[in-house]
Amino acid sequence: MSSPGRAVPRRKPPHVLANAPFRRLWTAMSVCSLGDWLNIIALTALAGNLTRDAGFQTQSLAIGGVFIAKMLPAILLGPLAGAVADRFDRRLTMFLADLLRFALVLSIPVIGSYQWIVIATFLVECVNLFWVPAKDATVPNLVPKDRLEEANQLNLLVTYGTAPVAAVLFAVLSVAMDFVGSAAPSFSGQPTDIALVVNALAYLVSAVLIFTLRDIPKGHARQGAPSVLRQIVEGWRFVGANQVVRGLVIGMLGAFAAGGAVVGVAKAYVEAQQGGDAAYGTVFGAVFVGMAFGMFFGLRLLSGLSRRRLFGLAIVSAGLVLAAIALIHNLVIVVMLTVLLGACAGIAWIIGYTTIGLEVEDGLRGRTFAFLQSLARVVLLLVVAFAASLAGLFGSHPFTIGAMSYTFDGSHLVLLIGSVVAVVVGALALKQMDDRRGIPISVDLIAALRGVRFEPEQDEQPRGMFVAFEGGEGSGKTTQSRLLAIWLRDQGFDVVQTREPGSTKVGMRLRAILLDSTHQGLSARSETLLYAADRAEHVEKVIRPALYRGAMVVCDRYVDSSLAYQGAGRDLDKDEVAKVNAWATGGLVPDLTVLIDVPPSVGLRRHASPADRIESEPMDFHERVRREFRALAAANPDRYLVVDGTLPQGEVTRLIQDRVREILPDPVPTDAEANTGTIPAIKD
């Protein structure tokens, strides 16, 4: 039996992959994604190999043709294929699509002509248009709604996470084939052929997994699913009015385009550097390995840097790295730089994706992400196709500088253009989104590298004085705070008298919730956060502006009330309550805290009106509150003045004025107390 007040530990919910039907579908998706990436690498490598003897220009155009064949179906036939796919059984659709992809991919190494590569690639992508909508519509039917986000994260992981795996696999196959070829000269197998066979087998494995998955509903897939083009048009309407979101989207697409430029010319670039298929697979995979590192580790290394600044700097850095890749003719260095390029792109992508989730309201967030994903896919394919085609049209131009020979070809031109675009886009994003203007970026970056966040010294310090009154119910603190405010005004000071909760428009609504006796079911944590919300608004709108203009602020209750009432009274962790309130107030601490100490049994008898939600708490609650107030005062005697609230009102007033007189900025006449009128006591 658990002890009173002790939280019973909850059972951790099972992982979404514990769901057997979803696990089988996810496995099929993983295998298909691996096959898709292996397909891209193998087909572009095969196209480059088949046209190797035709020259750099023809080779680049051939590779670009493969990417164009992959891009056209989604743009031209996406809406039609989606409408048709909605009318078929999902399980049967995915099964037949996998079988067709298996047959088409397997036919490519058998036929072995470039023309068939383009035709088969186009047909495979057409089949994909049926497989993807059926898969997307199936996932929500296999997992509970509260686990759908987790399922989508896993789907995204295999969509992009299998790219470096495919690149490593292709490189390993290439090295293995080269080794076999050198050991047995009669062996004529090509790495691209073996990779395509593995690719085809991946689709066959997926078909078997889907065929054995009996839990897929036979109902139709999503009706009226928007096409890629429609998603893009609607997406611009959503993000066009928000400058920050618009800058984020453009920056993210710029980062994706920089990575796409590398992918588009990687094969021709590697061939020009006398590298083989293994080198091409390594360069291809380096982009995605870098993206993974950037997404998972980049933010941790620079945790002290503003996310908006880091977003722009990452894109600018990607552009500079891209320029270095274009000018350096060393494959080892290029691979390392490509990992760095991918890391910069990964940092920009994850920051942008997270910030959009925060900036876009919930009703538009799903459509905005769908728009971003669709546009990113189109941009990636367009850049890859355009990059390879432009590289081919430019050709290769060797020249000599003294004793050094240097070749500048189309791949170098494309990478330089991409670097310029990335630097410009990153600089524009940094200019529009900079949230730390006036602080040099270099200073901010150096501090972040040291693991801290640079905070400039405040040129202007508060000139006023802040006095807070604390105490239990019926202690008389409200009356004494008014008397002190009147006394300070009589001395010629600008005085702002305020209270918590309820001194702002927002605070008035929060006060009604917090003190209304009908809200007895309010949880302790909710109560703490509501008080902190009122305090944050109060400090920003009332207290801090008054202090900066030199006013005397007299406040009825402040942070110590939360430490006593919610920390001790509600039995919450006082350190957590203190952290929440320190964040809410920006660390603002009173110059003096006056604690009027009264036993709860005495203070509660002073109330004539019906008790509010806090006053109606049991006596032991108020006893804990009193003990905590006294403990806070004992721990910080320099800031606290503890006054016995059972003394006559005039005596309490005199003690408070004597202490305040000691900390006033200007001397106060000793006879000032005579100017203090008698104010009727009011309810605290």
Side-chain angles (χ1 to χ4, degrees):
M1 185 172 180
S2 60
S3 58
R6 193 171 186 177
V8 178
R10 297 180 179 179
R11 290 185 59 188
K12 186 177 181 180
H15 195 275
V16 69
L17 288 178
N19 182 329
F22 174 73
R23 183 172 65 249
R24 187 177 293 270
L25 177 62
W26 183 80
T27 303
M29 292 166 52
S30 304
V31 173
C32 280
S33 294
L34 179 63
D36 290 340
W37 288 111
L38 194 59
N39 181 266
I40 293 175
I41 304 172
L43 288 181
T44 50
L46 181 58
N49 293 340
L50 291 174
T51 56
R52 181 182 300 160
D53 298 332
F56 178 86
Q57 187 175 38
T58 303
Q59 185 184 50
S60 298
L61 290 173
I63 296 171
V66 173
F67 283 116
I68 291 174
K70 278 190 166 291
M71 175 184 65
L72 285 178
I75 296 177
L76 299 179
L77 304 177
L80 176 62
V84 174
D86 282 346
R87 287 158 176 78
F88 290 103
D89 178 79
R90 299 171 193 163
R91 174 170 162 269
L92 184 61
T93 297
M94 289 189 285
F95 173 69
L96 293 177
D98 281 332
L99 289 182
L100 283 173
R101 291 192 292 183
F102 164 73
L104 287 169
V105 172
L106 195 61
S107 71
I108 295 175
V110 174
I111 297 177
S113 69
Y114 175 75
Q115 291 76 11
W116 180 245
I117 290 176
V118 174
I119 295 172
T121 300
F122 183 86
L123 293 176
V124 167
E125 293 305 315
C126 288
V127 174
N128 282 343
L129 296 178
F130 293 86
W131 195 91
V132 172
K135 179 264 297 182
D136 288 340
T138 298
V139 172
N141 291 305
L142 297 182
V143 298
K145 290 184 178 180
D146 60 339
R147 312 306 299 273
L148 186 58
E149 182 178 357
E150 184 181 355
N152 289 334
Q153 290 174 343
L154 287 172
N155 296 345
L156 190 64
L157 173 65
V158 297
T159 299
Y160 293 103
T162 50
V165 177
V168 171
L169 178 59
F170 183 77
V172 170
L173 289 174
S174 300
V175 172
M177 290 301 100
D178 290 342
F179 177 77
V180 173
S182 61
S186 60
F187 180 76
S188 59
Q190 297 296 321
T192 52
D193 295 343
I194 304 300
L196 288 171
V197 170
V198 174
N199 173 204
L201 290 176
Y203 292 141
L204 183 61
V205 171
S206 174
V208 173
L209 291 171
I210 295 298
F211 184 77
T212 57
L213 181 56
R214 303 292 181 178
D215 300 88
I216 298 180
K218 293 186 177 181
H220 299 315
R222 295 177 299 175
Q223 298 292 332
S227 66
V228 171
L229 183 61
R230 184 178 175 185
Q231 285 181 347
I232 293 173
V233 173
E234 291 183 350
W236 275 122
R237 294 176 182 172
F238 295 143
V239 306
N242 189 311
Q243 182 179 4
V244 173
V245 176
R246 186 169 62 249
L248 284 167
V249 169
I250 293 174
M252 292 166 69
L253 296 178
F256 233 66
V262 175
V263 173
V265 299
K267 175 59 178 175
Y269 181 92
V270 170
E271 288 281 351
Q273 308 305 317
Q274 307 301 315
D277 289 336
Y280 169 53
T282 303
V283 172
F284 186 96
V287 176
F288 295 94
V289 170
M291 286 187 69
F293 273 102
M295 289 180 180
F296 289 100
F297 301 109
L299 301 183
R300 299 180 185 180
L301 295 176
L302 295 170
S303 59
L305 190 62
S306 159
R307 288 292 174 263
R308 293 189 180 185
R309 277 195 161 183
L310 181 56
F311 176 79
L313 287 174
I315 299 175
V316 172
S317 300
L320 297 176
V321 173
L322 200 56
I325 293 174
L327 299 175
I328 294 175
H329 290 184
N330 184 295
L331 277 177
V332 176
I333 297 177
V334 164
V335 169
M336 292 188 291
L337 290 175
T338 304
V339 173
L340 182 58
L341 170 69
C344 294
I347 290 173
W349 181 260
I350 196 67
I351 291 176
Y353 218 70
T354 303
T355 307
I356 287 176
L358 297 174
E359 292 283 344
V360 178
E361 61 181 272
D362 186 65
L364 303 177
R365 191 175 300 135
R367 282 174 285 176
T368 303
F369 280 131
F371 147 74
L372 181 60
Q373 290 281 9
S374 300
L375 189 58
R377 181 176 64 185
V378 172
V379 166
L380 179 62
L381 290 173
L382 281 174
V383 168
V384 168
F386 172 77
S389 302
L390 177 61
L393 292 174
F394 183 80
S396 180
H397 302 279
F399 57 91
T400 303
I401 303 177
M404 182 184 71
S405 60
Y406 190 87
T407 300
F408 189 83
D409 56 35
S411 61
H412 302 136
L413 175 66
V414 168
L415 295 178
L416 282 177
I417 293 174
S419 70
V420 172
V421 171
V423 169
V424 171
V425 169
L428 289 175
L430 191 59
K431 181 179 180 180
Q432 292 186 7
M433 300 166 50
D434 192 359
D435 55 352
R436 287 170 67 81
R437 301 181 187 276
I439 301 175
I441 294 179
S442 58
V443 174
D444 224 4
L445 185 59
I446 291 172
L449 290 173
R450 294 201 306 263
V452 298
R453 180 180 175 88
F454 175 77
E455 294 294 347
E457 295 183 2
Q458 296 288 344
D459 294 332
E460 182 184 4
Q461 297 296 327
R463 301 188 305 271
M465 188 179 72
F466 182 16
V467 179
F469 279 77
E470 301 285 8
E473 307 305 317
S475 62
K477 58 180 177 47
T478 301
T479 299
Q480 292 298 332
S481 65
R482 287 196 173 193
L483 291 174
L484 179 63
I486 293 172
W487 179 71
L488 289 172
R489 289 191 186 101
D490 288 342
Q491 316 312 314
F493 291 109
D494 176 12
V495 180
V496 172
Q497 184 185 354
T498 185
R499 69 173 183 177
E500 291 187 356
S503 287
T504 63
K505 291 183 179 180
V506 173
M508 291 173 65
R509 297 183 179 183
L510 293 174
R511 183 181 179 90
I513 296 173
L514 287 164
L515 300 184
D516 191 342
S517 58
T518 62
H519 293 153
Q520 291 293 342
L522 189 65
S523 71
R525 291 179 182 273
S526 298
E527 181 181 275
T528 302
L529 293 173
L530 288 174
Y531 273 114
D534 167 79
R535 192 161 290 129
E537 187 78 359
H538 188 206
V539 168
E540 181 176 345
K541 299 293 179 60
V542 179
I543 298 177
R544 205 177 287 276
L547 293 175
Y548 273 103
R549 73 167 186 262
M552 305 288 112
V553 177
V554 179
C555 185
D556 181 359
R557 294 206 184 280
Y558 192 56
V559 171
D560 292 334
S561 282
S562 284
L563 297 177
Y565 279 85
Q566 284 74 56
R570 303 298 187 198
D571 199 23
L572 295 178
D573 188 318
K574 289 185 279 293
D575 289 337
E576 292 182 356
V577 176
K579 288 179 182 177
V580 168
N581 282 274
W583 180 78
T585 64
L588 182 64
V589 178
D591 297 287
L592 175 66
T593 299
V594 178
L595 172 61
I596 302 181
D597 181 42
V598 172
S601 57
V602 175
L604 291 174
R605 286 200 302 267
R606 294 179 176 179
H607 290 290
S609 58
D612 61 29
R613 195 176 66 88
I614 301 297
E615 295 164 355
S616 59
E617 291 290 341
M619 185 62 68
D620 61 338
F621 171 89
H622 294 285
E623 290 287 356
R624 292 196 301 273
V625 170
R626 185 195 184 197
R627 286 196 297 270
E628 182 62 21
F629 271 132
R630 292 166 68 94
L632 290 170
N636 197 351
D638 293 336
R639 179 170 66 87
Y640 263 91
L641 168 66
V642 181
V643 181
D644 184 355
T646 61
L647 295 174
Q649 178 179 295
E651 180 67 13
V652 173
T653 301
R654 185 187 63 79
L655 292 172
I656 294 172
Q657 291 175 357
D658 287 345
R659 178 62 182 273
V660 171
R661 186 182 290 112
E662 297 175 1
I663 62 173
L664 284 175
D666 295 317
V668 178
T670 55
D671 59 348
E673 184 182 346
N675 296 326
T676 303
T678 300
I679 305 295
I682 65 172
K683 176 184 174 182
D684 288 274

